[in-house]
Amino acid sequence: MISWLWLIPALPFLSAALLILFGSGWSRRAVAAVGVGSIGLAASITFLIAFRFWSAPPAGDAYTQVLWTWIRAGGFQPQIGLYLDALSLVMILVVTFVGFLIHIYSAEFMAEDPDYSRFFAYMNLFVASMITLLLANNLLLLLLGWEGVGLCSYLLIGFWYRNPNNGLAARKAFIVTRVGDTAMMLALFLLFSSLGTLQIQDLMQRASHQWQAGSTLAATAALLLLGGAVGKSAQLPLQVWLPDAMAGPTPTSALIHAATMVTAGVYLIARTHVLFAMAPAAQLAVAIVGATTLLVAGCSALTQHDIKRILAYSTVSQIGYMFLALGVGAWQAALFHFVTHACFKALLFLGAGVIIESLHDEHSIFRMGGLRKELPVAFWTFLIGGSALAGLPFVTAGFFSKDLIIWNAWSAQGGHAMLWIAGMAGALLTSLYTFRMIFRVFFGPLGTPVTRRFGYRMNVPLIVLAFLAVVGGYLKTPLLGFLHSALPATIERGTRGLTETGSEAVAGILFLIGLYFAWLFHLQKRSLADALVANSTARALDRWWFADWGFDWIYEKVFVRPFVWTANINRADLIDTFYTGVGRMADMLYRGLSNTQTGRVRWYVTGMAAGTVVFIAMVLYL
Amino acid sequence: MELTFCIAGGVAVLSTALMLTRLNLVHSLLYLVVSLLGVGVVFFVLGAPFAAALEAIVYAGAIMVLFLFVVMMLNIGSQSAEEEKRWLTPGIWTGPAILASLLLIEVAYLAGTGSFGSTTGSIGPKAVGMALFGPYVIGVELASMLLLAGLVGAYHLGFRTPEKPEIRHDADTDERRTDTSGDLVLAGADRPARTP
Amino acid sequence: MFSLGLTGLLVRRNLIFVLMSLEVMLNAAGLAFIAAGSRWHQPDGQVMFLFILTMAAAEVAVGLALVLQVYHRFKSLDVDMLSGMRG
């Protein structure tokens, strides 16, 4: 049964290929059947394998399936090999199941789009690449999946390509993640040249034997891998692409930019945790990146108007939490938060999609309102998802996972009081912006009226995800126990005066504070919000945070302008002149020679006579 | 003998030079005839009477006369004299003169390095005839074939069909569309059709 | 003589002159042959001259026929006008 592992990436690849080749000729029903069905099949196989793995784990808690050898070049022989352990199993469970729900949702969401088959082709290709990334047993295959998801992200952000802004957003995403990818490739080169292999398990073994803890090589490799993860997971300083990526269709945002692709960075760091454990400086860098990102993104989310952009910044912030957990050595906590986050963030995005489409493509929360009675399913599921995000105590999964991380930020060996404070501040911000969004959209007087209502295909996934968002918290102990086989336990440092319950209590209080202020400013006395905006410092702060703390502006000035300037200077293209020069010389030679063909007899006779003279002279004197 | 050689040679060279510079076509033809006759005398001095005779009869007699016939037929006259005046600027002589003198110097050098034998004794027609029909008989046959080809070619190339009157179609009055199918000379020429 | 003929060939533009210069050059070559034959007391030089003469005759015939055609086609005997194979 476990040997069916290869079907999990193969089925979506196959369906993507079929849809690309033949999809435009099929009916919508057929396209949906193939597109959704392949992911459904992959999800069921994943469940079966998970059950088998759980009940009868293979030797060493890991299962390897080598399909074939990819490249044979001397000592470099990477394979197409799949590696299944608890870490990758958990991740592919989430990817396939949440992916399946999102595909069902998008079967109805995109029903009126003329490029229906293209959409499903790209989505299936994305799922296939993501699974390849997760199941890869060597870093080169992982890189293949990495690039594949980057490609699909580009294709799907710019799905409605007729609008040039979507193309710009897609290119921005691709280029920014490319910066991260370059760092990651450098890391691969470094690892291969010093350790001689890219097989992940072998690599970890050799690294722990050959490199000492704290060596510069390990630190460099770890920092470069962090660079790659930062790019793909949209952390500081490469987070600028994710808010603009909301130009894509909402199911894309849900699948790629909330639940799965952006967590590829988390997966990468978790996979290579041995390297990070050997380089405490790099690990601290991970934690600092996570902590700063969650604060920066949280502040930015507080000022946004577009509902999808709020959720995008929220995603950046939550992944910051995951990075924070990885940075302090709380590996299982990071994965637990990933699982819960995938559920509730996908739920929130899908709900946002329902809202936006019901109001005929209205994105701004300030023009919405009073949808509590109009869209009940969306309201309740969104409320559940938002509470999970903000961390409603005891009921929602998000509470358990986020608080585990914040607790570990205090108590784990890599933890620090500042990190704990940052985590708590982030929790407050999360609660604030989430309930701001909910109160503005669902409560208050009716804003834009509802013009469309959707059927079961869009509502059922919302309900399922809401259910998971609630019960997911109770998965904590079994999940963490399960992950023990793949990730080391978090090393505790000693509690120093704060217990886990105490930390959770603080988090709960902050949740309530955030809820109260959001209720105050955005429901009870909305005039207070207007008064706040009228204050000039508040307005300046608001504008600064709205522009994502000026990162776009900095990048524009520092990178884009000089590059465009140099490109303009080189418009005549120095290198090309060499090649065109060859052509032009041939042209000149042609012109010169064709001028000697005058067609006149006397000219030719002159030529002959001169040639004779020269020839005789040569004979005489040489 | 030496004197005859010098005088005849000088006459030949001089009249060739004069031939080149004349404006009138017929004048230069006549100068050429003189030149050829001079060369004939040189042949006789060199001891080749048969060649001398042939030169006078065939070259000066037949070929030059042919030239004259053609020139008279074309009836160029003063028009060509005007053209020649325009074309023969002094500057035009420089290039070819340099080239030709270089060639002359080279040939003279080559000739001068050879040995000089005596030039007494003449080779009569009988010896030439025996050489022709002996080892050179193939050459004779080829030469006759060449003459045949020349004859046929000259006849064909010089042939001009008499001009046919143009057939006027009643339907179209466009003067461009005239029937030029039978006119060997005009067909394909990039000239406008002649109007009647 | 040959050099003179060559000069004439290069300088004059009238087609008839060109042919005449050509004759001069042929004649000069024949002269060289006769001289050589006389120097070595062999009839071969005269035989060669005979062949040259024959060839010159055939060439003149054909050449003048072509001159006639050229004249009727182009109404002029300028050699430079016959530059259809230019370029």
Side-chain angles (χ1 to χ4, degrees):
Chain A
M1 183 64 71
I2 296 192
S3 60
W4 285 6
L5 190 60
W6 63 277
L7 280 175
I8 304 180
L11 282 171
F13 267 125
L14 178 66
S15 79
L18 283 174
L19 285 171
I20 289 174
L21 290 173
F22 307 115
S24 49
W26 289 346
S27 71
R28 275 177 207 269
R29 215 173 265 259
V31 169
V34 171
V36 178
S38 67
I39 308 293
L41 271 178
S44 4
I45 296 178
T46 314
F47 271 109
L48 285 172
I49 292 183
F51 186 69
R52 187 56 65 95
F53 196 93
W54 176 272
S55 55
D61 287 316
Y63 172 74
T64 312
Q65 186 180 40
V66 176
L67 296 175
W68 70 88
T69 307
W70 188 3
I71 303 173
R72 267 182 235 269
F76 181 59
Q77 297 198 345
Q79 307 154 320
I80 305 287
L82 304 176
Y83 178 79
L84 188 70
D85 67 348
L87 172 61
S88 48
L89 183 62
V90 164
M91 293 200 74
I92 60 174
L93 267 175
V94 169
V95 169
T96 50
F97 186 64
V98 173
F100 177 56
L101 291 174
I102 294 178
H103 275 74
I104 297 178
Y105 176 94
S106 48
E108 179 155 352
F109 189 82
M110 300 292 288
E112 281 162 29
D113 197 300
D115 293 318
Y116 200 61
S117 64
R118 189 160 65 97
F119 182 76
F120 275 102
Y122 291 160
M123 293 283 271
N124 280 2
L125 188 61
F126 166 78
V127 174
S129 307
M130 188 73 202
I131 294 179
T132 310
L133 191 159
L134 293 171
L135 287 176
N137 82 336
N138 59 49
L139 285 175
L140 198 62
L141 188 60
L142 192 148
L143 185 65
L144 176 71
W146 191 273
E147 299 289 350
V149 297
L151 171 70
C152 294
S153 168
Y154 167 79
L155 290 172
L156 283 164
I157 295 174
F159 185 71
W160 291 312
Y161 57 89
R162 291 181 179 89
N163 181 354
N165 290 332
N166 296 343
L168 281 177
R171 281 206 295 282
K172 181 175 176 181
F174 195 78
I175 293 175
V176 173
T177 49
R178 213 23 158 190
V179 175
D181 293 348
T182 314
M184 180 160 149
M185 284 194 256
L186 286 174
L188 290 195
F189 294 151
L190 180 64
L191 285 171
F192 183 70
S193 64
S194 46
L195 293 175
T197 177
L198 284 178
Q199 293 261 59
I200 299 182
Q201 304 307 314
D202 279 347
L203 198 62
M204 298 298 126
Q205 289 265 13
R206 291 190 201 186
S208 54
H209 289 154
Q210 289 178 12
W211 292 348
Q212 291 98 342
S215 70
T216 34
L217 266 179
T220 323
L223 280 173
L224 287 171
L225 284 173
L226 174 63
V230 158
K232 192 64 89 182
S233 296
Q235 300 296 289
L236 240 62
L238 294 174
Q239 89 283 13
V240 291
W241 65 271
L242 193 54
D244 288 338
M246 296 298 117
T250 311
T252 306
S253 308
L255 184 60
I256 299 184
H257 305 126
T260 44
M261 185 183 94
V262 288
T263 55
V266 176
Y267 172 73
L268 179 67
I269 296 183
R271 256 285 172 249
T272 54
H273 62 89
V274 172
L275 281 177
F276 282 91
M278 280 177 17
Q283 207 168 5
L284 186 63
V286 175
I288 292 177
V289 164
T292 43
T293 308
L294 69 93
L295 286 176
V296 165
C299 293
S300 298
L302 203 49
T303 61
Q304 297 296 322
H305 300 181
D306 184 341
I307 189 173
K308 281 177 77 173
R309 278 179 88 99
I310 298 178
L311 292 174
Y313 280 110
S314 162
T315 307
V316 176
S317 181
Q318 297 301 308
I319 299 178
Y321 271 103
M322 293 184 220
F323 269 59
L324 175 61
L326 292 171
V328 301
W331 315 101
Q332 288 105 329
L335 263 295
F336 182 39
H337 193 57
F338 157 72
V339 173
T340 56
H341 173 262
C343 296
F344 60 69
K345 195 42 73 66
L347 169 62
L348 285 172
F349 265 106
L350 295 184
V354 170
I355 295 167
I356 290 174
E357 284 301 309
S358 298
L359 299 183
H360 194 65
D361 207 33
E362 175 60 67
H363 284 249
S364 166
I365 60 172
F366 290 104
R367 285 197 280 271
M368 303 177 190
L371 292 174
R372 190 158 43 110
K373 299 285 168 42
E374 300 285 332
L375 299 171
V377 176
F379 169 62
W380 284 106
T381 53
F382 204 89
L383 189 62
I384 293 174
S387 314
L389 174 58
L392 181 65
F394 302 115
V395 182
T396 56
F399 169 70
F400 288 106
S401 59
K402 199 177 345 173
D403 282 324
L404 186 60
I405 292 179
I406 301 180
W407 163 245
N408 277 318
W410 174 269
S411 70
Q413 189 170 47
H416 194 270
M418 291 295 296
L419 295 173
W420 183 84
I421 294 175
M424 282 299 179
L428 177 62
L429 283 171
T430 309
S431 174
L432 267 174
Y433 67 67
T434 309
F435 284 106
R436 165 178 178 263
M437 186 168 52
I438 291 178
F439 285 132
R440 280 284 175 186
V441 171
F442 291 105
F443 289 82
L446 188 66
T448 318
V450 172
T451 46
R452 250 181 95 176
R453 289 178 198 278
F454 293 97
Y456 71 94
R457 276 182 297 179
M458 281 173 69
N459 289 323
V460 165
L462 290 176
I463 298 175
V464 173
L465 284 171
F467 177 70
L468 280 177
V470 171
V471 306
Y474 301 105
L475 283 177
K476 172 174 159 185
T477 336
L479 188 66
L480 294 183
F482 182 56
L483 284 173
H484 252 294
S485 57
L487 293 171
T490 318
I491 307 169
E492 303 277 328
R493 195 178 43 151
T495 53
R496 294 176 305 145
L498 189 68
T499 61
E500 188 163 352
T501 337
S503 176
E504 285 177 359
V506 175
I509 292 171
L510 286 175
F511 170 83
L512 290 170
I513 294 177
L515 175 59
Y516 173 70
F517 275 106
W519 176 78
L520 190 65
F521 275 81
H522 294 284
L523 187 59
Q524 187 68 356
K525 283 190 202 288
R526 288 199 173 165
S527 51
L528 277 179
D530 299 330
L532 189 65
V533 173
N535 182 358
S536 61
T537 17
R539 200 168 51 228
L541 208 59
D542 174 67
R543 262 212 297 266
W544 185 42
W545 286 350
F546 184 78
D548 191 16
W549 292 58
F551 269 94
D552 275 327
W553 184 85
I554 294 176
Y555 288 149
E556 164 89 22
K557 285 275 179 299
V558 173
F559 294 114
V560 176
R561 290 273 173 87
F563 183 74
V564 171
W565 181 80
T566 3
N568 268 325
I569 297 256
N570 198 25
R571 205 172 263 268
D573 207 354
L574 208 57
I575 311 266
D576 245 6
T577 42
F578 175 66
Y579 295 106
T580 52
V582 171
R584 263 188 282 148
M585 259 200 325
D587 198 46
M588 280 196 301
L589 199 62
Y590 152 73
R591 260 181 245 284
L593 281 177
S594 76
N595 278 340
T596 60
Q597 278 206 295
T598 55
R600 284 191 241 137
V601 178
R602 299 190 301 145
W603 176 261
Y604 292 157
V605 175
T606 315
M608 281 197 278
T612 315
V613 167
V614 168
F615 192 63
I616 298 183
M618 278 194 340
V619 167
L620 283 182
Y621 294 113
L622 292 176
Chain B
M1 270 306 177
E2 298 282 333
L3 193 60
T4 323
F5 177 78
C6 290
I7 294 175
V11 165
V13 173
L14 186 62
S15 73
T16 310
L18 282 173
M19 169 207 103
L20 291 181
T21 56
R22 291 305 102 195
L23 295 176
N24 194 336
L25 196 53
V26 181
H27 289 183
S28 33
L29 272 175
L30 295 174
Y31 275 115
L32 186 57
V33 172
V34 169
S35 160
L36 291 174
L37 289 175
V39 170
V41 172
V42 168
F43 284 169
F44 191 79
V45 168
L46 284 177
F50 184 58
L54 275 180
E55 171 96 8
I57 299 169
V58 174
Y59 228 130
I63 295 177
M64 284 303 121
V65 169
L66 189 56
F67 261 108
L68 268 169
F69 281 168
V70 169
V71 167
M72 298 302 181
M73 193 159 54
L74 290 180
N75 199 14
I76 304 180
S78 61
Q79 172 206 8
S80 96
E82 293 300 315
E83 281 181 342
E84 297 291 340
K85 247 194 167 150
R86 270 188 296 115
W87 290 340
L88 281 183
T89 57
I92 214 170
W93 287 93
T94 47
I98 294 173
L99 213 50
S101 36
L102 277 176
L103 203 55
L104 179 64
I105 293 168
E106 282 178 347
V107 172
Y109 177 75
L110 274 175
T113 54
S115 58
F116 297 103
S118 62
T119 51
T120 52
S122 68
I123 302 166
K126 185 172 172 204
V128 175
M130 286 186 58
L132 266 183
F133 286 96
Y136 287 106
V137 68
I138 294 180
V140 174
E141 300 302 323
L142 286 175
S144 64
M145 268 196 270
L146 176 67
L147 282 171
L148 179 65
L151 178 67
V152 171
Y155 172 78
H156 182 73
L157 283 173
F159 186 70
R160 276 176 50 218
T161 51
E163 294 157 15
K164 288 202 303 227
E166 289 165 7
I167 301 168
R168 257 313 187 73
H169 299 283
D170 292 338
D172 63 305
T173 52
D174 191 339
E175 63 186 33
R176 285 182 173 273
R177 281 191 256 145
T178 52
D179 185 11
T180 55
S181 55
D183 205 328
L184 183 66
V185 175
L186 282 181
D190 50 348
R191 294 162 52 218
R194 286 170 302 154
T195 51
Chain C
M1 288 270 292
F2 189 82
S3 310
L4 281 174
L6 182 62
T7 313
L9 181 59
L10 293 178
V11 171
R12 304 299 301 242
R13 273 166 78 164
N14 197 330
L15 202 50
I16 310 269
F17 271 102
V18 166
L19 285 175
M20 287 199 303
S21 312
L22 218 50
E23 292 307 310
V24 167
M25 286 161 76
L26 283 171
N27 202 20
L31 175 58
F33 269 111
I34 299 285
S38 153
R39 188 230 176 283
W40 268 289
H41 303 292
Q42 283 172 340
D44 297 27
Q46 296 191 41
V47 167
M48 218 36 42
F49 174 72
L50 193 66
F51 288 146
I52 291 177
L53 196 58
T54 315
M55 190 222 80
E59 172 243 330
V60 162
V62 174
L64 286 174
L66 283 174
V67 165
L68 282 178
Q69 283 289 342
V70 165
Y71 184 71
H72 283 293
R73 204 175 269 254
F74 292 98
K75 280 287 174 269
S76 145
L77 287 175
D78 187 357
V79 154
D80 284 346
M81 294 244 312
L82 305 172
S83 60
M85 285 187 66
R86 170 206 303 279

